[in-house]
Amino acid sequence: MLELIGQRVWPVGERAPMANVVKLACNFALASTIETLGEAGALAQAHGIEPRTLYEVMTGSLFASPAWRVYAGLIGEQRFEPAGFRMPLGLKDVRLALQAGEASHTPLPIASLLRDHFLAAIANGDAEKDWSALALTAFRNAGL
């Protein structure tokens, strides 16, 4: 049935929870991408380079993938509303990834950093924004 209605189906194992781990791992990777874009943009801006310019270089060469282009565009233009995926949902998925890591004795140090940055973003009033606004934490931490 899934093959009829979906674009593609990836069998990941016999147990349904295995698909949940794949989803969490994918969202964790996206959140890591957003954090990386934020930190790289803050570094560029601190040296007088517009983050949008950096993002054009990155997505036109090294990271020419849809996810990088979409999130670089949102961050570069600071287009965080309306939210496609709200900040608390990103935090929820990072927390679930951390729980899954703990259950399997898999350290996820970047996920711990992401959790803290999601909390900081929400504390700074970004809860209703798209999770790409997570990048603002890197800019704030750099005093920008």
Side-chain angles (χ1 to χ4, degrees), residues 85-106:
F85 194 73
R86 289 179 48 249
M87 196 73 68
L89 294 174
L91 174 59
K92 172 192 63 84
D93 280 357
V94 168
R95 283 180 168 156
L96 290 171
L98 282 165
Q99 289 174 2
E102 188 173 329
S104 62
H105 306 289
T106 304

Side-chain angles (χ1 to χ4, degrees), residues 31 87 90-91 94 113-123 131 134:
M87 196 73 68
L91 174 59
V94 168
L113 172 86
L114 288 169
R115 180 202 54 231
D116 292 348
H117 284 191
F118 272 111
L119 289 171
I122 291 167
W131 71 334
L134 176 68

Side-chain angles (χ1 to χ4, degrees), residues 16 35 41 48 50 59 118:
E35 175 69 24
E50 280 295 319
T59 61
F118 272 111

Side-chain angles (χ1 to χ4, degrees), residues 3 9 16 54 62 82:
E3 290 173 348
V9 175
L54 170 68
L62 299 172

